[in-house]
Amino acid sequence: MTYSTVPITMRAYRAPLRSIPLHFSAACFTGALITDIAYSQTAEMTWANFSAWLLASGLVFGGLALLAGIIDIFRRRFRFAGGAAWIYVAASLAVFVVSFFNAFIHSRDAWTSVVPMGLTLSIVAFVLMIVAAIFGSITERRIVEGY
Amino acid sequence: MVRYRFTKAVTAAALVACSGAFLSACSGDEPDPGSEIGADPKLPEQSQYLIPPMHVAKVVGWKDGERPKVADGFKIQALASGLKHPRSVYTLPNGDILAVESVAPPEASAKRPKDLIMGFVQSFATGGGGGGNEGSNRITLLRDADGDGVAEVHDVLLDHLNSPFGVVLVGNDLYVANTDAIVRYPYKPGETKITDPGTVLTELPGGPIDHHWTKSLTASEDGSLLYVGVGSNSNITENGIQAERDRAAIWEVDRESGRHRIYASGLRNPNGLSIEPQTKALWTVVNERDELGPNLVPDYMTSVKDGAFYGWPYSYYGQNVDPRVMPQRPDLVAKAIAPDYALSSHVAPLGMTFASGTSLPADYREGAFVGEHGSWNRNAFNGYKVVFVPFAGGKPNGSPKDVVTGFLDGDEQARGRPVGVAIDKLGALLVADDVGNTVWRVSATQ
């Protein structure tokens, strides 16, 4: 049996630059969903305040991830390898855009800063992050395997 | 041409953005606020913003020779300028005038990112204008002995106060409402400096969160009771309902013992506490809630009934429920009463005084003067003037008339902003102009 390319295990793995900020961002947005749920159950303002900070932090890390992702393209740590890559990019950008609007919704005062629109957008962002994660791993495998 | 296309593209994008259900921050859809003045205002539908308008006038101050405009029959002059953020004025029986100069207490720590942004934007509204606020938090005594309308004497009567606002004299006791306490000082007519450290009569809700910090003060007709306005600690409970304990209310304080009770509640930010001369009823002007739209919720003036609940935070103008408050309280909404007279939205009335005497023009002898500090939560400015609401039989009767205007210049920059108002011993109207650092005296031309 011959390999047309070098086996995966033999390549030095270079982590994409966007990886770390993207994960921080995802953690922040996930946290915002959790604190939104906590607020919707308790009406305790502390939870809504947590959400607002988490969204703001997530957007900062998300912005860094966007820059890093562009650098990754130039460093050939990312390329549009098929439909999965496009879905990954679209879903990731959508998370950012949805959370951007969500940050403004969360700047309202008290209950309606979260319920219903803020919580809804947090759920949408969370679902989009799962989509991005699935298609991101497919894309990553394809890139690493050299498709 | 390229620039024109770019502008068009931006305009188009803005229009698309504006068409969103929750985006209403564009000036195009701000109707005239004139329909929401008077006893029965037409309230529009609520709209919640994606980005609330934060439009405050940049402070430029008064240049030499500039002064506000006044209605026909009046003239205006600066009783005193070069003050430091004067927020209220009060006339003593001997004709001396107290200008309460105060700075806001320090902001509470930021609870969320919005607090940082709001703090930055609002700093434009209070800064600038020359004079500065350093050394403020004091009461300056002004004396115009020769009656030319300009005070020759400026003496610091009391210094190192804690964000004072209200002041009232009963007998020989001078009461000052700092943001955290009512303090009593012995006063002798004619003196220009009080050295007594003062005695705390009653502590008031102050920091660490002290959102609406101005404590307006007046005394009952017989002098036995004091009424003090204690504003809410938030726009609409976003600092938690716990922070609102004993706030958004007018307290009645026993002048001898300091014992107090809530006289009326549900008043978001009551100021300008005054006794109506005919009925002897207590009146106040109230700053209503923000961020429900450019024309919601109209600020108002109202007589204050003992034990009444005026809605905040749960509802406004009776039973109009505010969806931002959770848990809701249908039991309290049911008993909320509507105020007497709407003044239009976001005009920010911070001072009120009833006309007295006969020295002002005939149309201005029965009614209330209201100092409207001016809007920030709508794109088109509203307020920034002193109006007169005519009264008959102890009730508002007719539309407000502009008395003092011209606080904004042609570029919509603030030369000054009116706050507290009072009538001096000769019957002229006094207006404290906080960012203009001036006390204006408005009198009849004859």
Side-chain angles (χ1 to χ4, degrees), chain A residues 43-45 49 52-53 56 101 104-112 117, chain B residues 22 48-51 111-114 235-238 240 242 323-324 326:
Chain A
E44 194 62 59
M45 277 314 299
N49 293 341
W53 288 113
F101 279 94
F104 282 113
I105 296 290
H106 275 74
S107 79
R108 290 175 180 171
D109 291 333
W111 185 247
T112 50
M117 186 59 84
Chain B
F22 40 71
Q48 291 202 41
Y49 299 105
L50 189 60
I51 307 171
K111 301 275 181 295
R112 52 195 178 137
K114 184 187 189 181
N235 175 31
I236 186 71
T237 70
E238 72 276 9
Q242 308 90 319
R324 298 172 296 180
M326 192 60 64

